[in-house]
């Protein structure tokens, strides 16, 4: 457990691929019913050896540190994967070098898995991923601002 926490701290000291991707081909967003955290993933595809693969992935999170660390790992290891390969990765695989998630943190990894699946448009559904209207998607901050007027107010912590 301590080892896991030090790996999370290490990942957060230099988080990879954080921020919106202006030229993304697909975007996926999820909110966790367990804790109210939100995470969004952007994907950019390219052609490699006749296959459509993920060129770049980025994320934005109003979530816990574990979700951010997993998203940082996941966006690195998604590079070069086809939609089918990416859709086949579960939360533990997406956590990469962080290793197995402690039971209390499994939903944090699932937040990343869910955002990825949303971006991929469902498991292995390549055409939808290609057609995701990124330009129509509001930013995560806009989503949060919109939520602020509803009955549930999301207050991101520093
Ligand atoms: Fe909510 Fe980790 S506690 S995603």
């Amino acid at each position: 457990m301590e080892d896991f926490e030090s790996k999370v701290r290490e990942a957060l000291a230099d988080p990879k691929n954080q921020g919106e991707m202006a030229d993304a081909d697909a975007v996926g967003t999820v909110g966790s019913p367990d804790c109210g955290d939100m995470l969004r993933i952007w994907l950019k595809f390219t052609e490699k050896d006749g296959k459509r693969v993920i060129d770049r992935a980025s994320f934005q999170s109003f979530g816990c540190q574990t979700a951010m660390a997993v998203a940082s790992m996941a966006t690195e290891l998604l590079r070069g994967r086809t939609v089918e390969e990416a859709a086949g990765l579960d939360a533990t695989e997406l956590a990469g070098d962080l290793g197995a998630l402690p039971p209390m943190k499994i939903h944090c990894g699932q937040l990343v898995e869910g955002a990825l699946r949303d971006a991929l448009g469902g498991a292995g559904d390549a055409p939808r991923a290609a057609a995701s209207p990124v330009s129509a998607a509001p930013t995560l901050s806009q989503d949060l601002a919109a939520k602020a007027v509803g009955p549930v107010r999301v207050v991101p912590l520093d």
Side-chain angles (χ1 to χ4, degrees), residues 32 34-37 63-67 104-105 107-109 111:
S32 168
D34 292 314
C35 63
D37 290 342
C64 74
Q65 299 198 327
T66 302
M104 290 287 289
K105 299 287 181 183
H107 81 274
C108 315
L111 196 68

Side-chain angles (χ1 to χ4, degrees), residues 62-125:
F62 289 98
C64 74
Q65 299 198 327
T66 302
M68 290 176 71
V70 174
S72 172
M73 290 284 174
T75 48
E76 282 289 283
L77 62 83
L78 283 172
R79 223 174 270 153
R81 310 241 182 188
T82 63
V83 169
E84 291 74 18
E85 288 166 350
L89 296 171
D90 64 18
T92 305
E93 290 163 322
L94 290 168
D97 291 345
L98 295 177
L101 299 169
M104 290 287 289
K105 299 287 181 183
I106 285 175
H107 81 274
C108 315
Q110 286 169 342
L111 196 68
V112 178
E113 184 185 330
L116 174 62
R117 285 184 195 284
D118 191 35
L120 294 170
D125 187 358

Side-chain angles (χ1 to χ4, degrees), residues 16-21 24 40-44 56-60 71 75:
K16 311 289 184 203
N17 313 306
Q18 214 175 349
E20 295 175 31
M21 191 191 292
R40 178 165 287 171
I41 285 186
W42 287 264
L43 300 173
K44 180 78 185 166
R56 286 177 284 132
S58 76
F59 76 98
Q60 193 180 36
T75 48

